[in-house]
Amino acid sequence: MSESQWQATWHGLHDILGPKWTFHILRLLSEEPHGFNAIRDSLDGLTAPILSQRLKELRCHGLIERTVEATTPPTTTYSLTPTGTEIATRLRALESLVEINEQPTRDCSAETMDCRSEALANGCVTAANQC
Protein backbone atom coordinates (compact mmCIF):
# COMPACT_ATOMS: atom_id res chain seq x y z
CA MET A 1 0.00 0.00 0.00
CA SER A 2 1.44 3.37 -0.96
CA GLU A 3 2.02 6.23 1.46
CA SER A 4 -1.06 8.14 0.30
CA GLN A 5 -3.26 5.00 0.27
CA TRP A 6 -2.62 4.00 3.87
CA GLN A 7 -3.09 7.58 5.02
CA ALA A 8 -6.41 7.83 3.19
CA THR A 9 -7.47 4.53 4.77
CA TRP A 10 -6.57 5.73 8.27
CA HIS A 11 -8.36 9.03 7.69
CA GLY A 12 -11.41 6.99 6.69
CA LEU A 13 -11.14 4.88 9.86
CA HIS A 14 -10.98 8.05 11.93
CA ASP A 15 -13.98 9.52 10.14
CA ILE A 16 -16.04 6.42 10.93
CA LEU A 17 -14.76 5.50 14.39
CA GLY A 18 -13.48 8.85 15.69
CA PRO A 19 -16.65 10.55 16.94
CA LYS A 20 -17.24 10.30 20.68
CA TRP A 21 -19.39 7.34 21.80
CA THR A 22 -18.90 5.35 18.57
CA PHE A 23 -16.68 2.73 20.21
CA HIS A 24 -19.07 2.46 23.14
CA ILE A 25 -22.09 1.87 20.92
CA LEU A 26 -20.29 -0.74 18.83
CA ARG A 27 -19.05 -2.48 22.00
CA LEU A 28 -22.54 -2.56 23.51
CA LEU A 29 -24.18 -3.84 20.33
CA SER A 30 -21.51 -6.52 20.02
CA GLU A 31 -23.09 -8.18 23.06
CA GLU A 32 -26.65 -8.16 21.71
CA PRO A 33 -29.14 -5.92 19.88
CA HIS A 34 -30.55 -3.04 21.91
CA GLY A 35 -33.30 -0.49 21.62
CA PHE A 36 -32.59 3.24 21.60
CA ASN A 37 -33.45 3.80 25.28
CA ALA A 38 -31.53 0.71 26.36
CA ILE A 39 -28.41 2.01 24.61
CA ARG A 40 -28.80 5.46 26.13
CA ASP A 41 -29.43 4.05 29.60
CA SER A 42 -26.44 1.69 29.38
CA LEU A 43 -23.91 4.37 28.50
CA ASP A 44 -23.49 6.91 31.29
CA GLY A 45 -23.37 10.47 29.97
CA LEU A 46 -24.65 9.74 26.47
CA THR A 47 -27.47 12.10 25.53
CA ALA A 48 -30.39 11.21 23.26
CA PRO A 49 -29.44 13.76 20.54
CA ILE A 50 -25.85 12.49 20.35
CA LEU A 51 -27.01 8.87 20.36
CA SER A 52 -29.44 9.59 17.54
CA GLN A 53 -26.66 11.24 15.54
CA ARG A 54 -24.18 8.39 16.12
CA LEU A 55 -26.76 5.74 15.21
CA LYS A 56 -27.50 7.56 11.94
CA GLU A 57 -23.78 7.79 11.15
CA LEU A 58 -23.18 4.13 11.92
CA ARG A 59 -26.16 3.14 9.76
CA CYS A 60 -24.85 5.33 6.94
CA HIS A 61 -21.46 3.56 7.13
CA GLY A 62 -23.17 0.16 7.10
CA LEU A 63 -22.06 -0.90 10.58
CA ILE A 64 -25.46 -1.16 12.24
CA GLU A 65 -28.99 -1.83 11.11
CA ARG A 66 -32.28 -0.62 12.49
CA THR A 67 -35.28 -2.91 12.74
CA VAL A 68 -38.78 -1.58 13.51
CA GLU A 69 -41.43 -4.02 14.67
CA ALA A 70 -45.10 -3.14 14.18
CA THR A 71 -46.06 -3.24 17.83
CA THR A 72 -47.93 -0.62 19.83
CA PRO A 73 -45.88 1.48 20.31
CA PRO A 74 -43.44 0.42 17.56
CA THR A 75 -40.30 -1.33 18.80
CA THR A 76 -37.00 -0.21 17.29
CA THR A 77 -33.92 -2.38 17.68
CA TYR A 78 -30.35 -1.69 16.62
CA SER A 79 -27.91 -4.47 15.82
CA LEU A 80 -24.55 -4.86 14.12
CA THR A 81 -24.28 -5.75 10.46
CA PRO A 82 -21.70 -8.38 9.46
CA THR A 83 -19.18 -5.57 8.82
CA GLY A 84 -20.03 -3.97 12.16
CA THR A 85 -19.58 -7.33 13.88
CA GLU A 86 -16.16 -7.79 12.29
CA ILE A 87 -15.02 -4.31 13.34
CA ALA A 88 -16.40 -4.70 16.88
CA THR A 89 -14.72 -8.10 17.22
CA ARG A 90 -11.37 -6.63 16.22
CA LEU A 91 -11.83 -3.67 18.57
CA ARG A 92 -12.73 -5.97 21.45
CA ALA A 93 -9.54 -7.94 20.78
CA LEU A 94 -7.63 -4.73 21.55
CA GLU A 95 -9.21 -4.49 25.03
CA SER A 96 -6.60 -6.85 26.47
CA LEU A 97 -3.82 -4.54 25.26
CA VAL A 98 -5.13 -1.51 27.12
CA GLU A 99 -4.46 -1.32 30.81
CA ILE A 100 -6.02 1.51 32.76
CA ASN A 101 -3.83 2.52 35.69
CA GLU A 102 -4.59 4.91 38.48
CA GLN A 103 -0.94 6.03 38.37
CA PRO A 104 0.56 6.48 34.88
CA THR A 105 3.85 4.64 34.39
CA ARG A 106 5.29 7.67 32.56
CA ASP A 107 5.12 11.37 33.23
CA CYS A 108 2.61 12.65 30.68
CA SER A 109 2.31 16.16 32.05
CA ALA A 110 2.19 19.23 29.84
CA GLU A 111 5.62 20.23 31.17
CA THR A 112 7.15 17.01 29.89
CA MET A 113 5.46 17.33 26.52
CA ASP A 114 6.58 20.99 26.23
CA CYS A 115 10.13 20.00 27.17
CA ARG A 116 10.25 17.31 24.47
CA SER A 117 8.70 19.56 21.84
CA GLU A 118 11.14 22.36 22.59
CA ALA A 119 14.15 20.03 22.57
CA LEU A 120 13.10 18.43 19.30
CA ALA A 121 12.45 21.82 17.71
CA ASN A 122 16.01 22.78 18.61
CA GLY A 123 17.34 19.53 17.08
CA CYS A 124 18.27 18.09 20.45
CA VAL A 125 17.03 14.48 20.30
CA THR A 126 19.13 13.42 23.31
CA ALA A 127 17.63 16.18 25.46
CA ALA A 128 14.13 15.26 24.28
CA ASN A 129 14.66 11.68 25.44
CA GLN A 130 15.76 12.90 28.87
CA CYS A 131 12.64 14.99 29.51
Side-chain angles (χ1 to χ4, degrees), residues 11-86:
H11 283 301
L13 282 170
H14 184 266
D15 290 345
I16 294 169
L17 301 175
K20 189 173 182 180
W21 296 107
T22 299
F23 283 142
H24 299 77
I25 294 166
L26 291 173
R27 172 64 165 81
L28 185 64
L29 294 178
S30 73
E31 296 171 356
E32 64 183 352
H34 284 72
F36 184 92
N37 290 334
I39 296 170
R40 188 194 64 223
D41 294 345
S42 295
L43 300 174
D44 295 336
L46 177 59
T47 64
I50 294 295
L51 175 57
S52 180
Q53 183 178 349
R54 292 296 169 267
L55 291 172
K56 286 177 187 174
E57 292 166 356
L58 290 168
R59 285 181 63 210
C60 179
H61 291 298
L63 302 183
I64 65 171
E65 57 190 5
R66 178 178 179 250
T67 306
V68 180
E69 294 180 35
T71 58
T72 305
T75 305
T76 304
T77 305
Y78 295 89
S79 59
L80 295 176
T81 63
T83 302
T85 299
E86 184 173 350

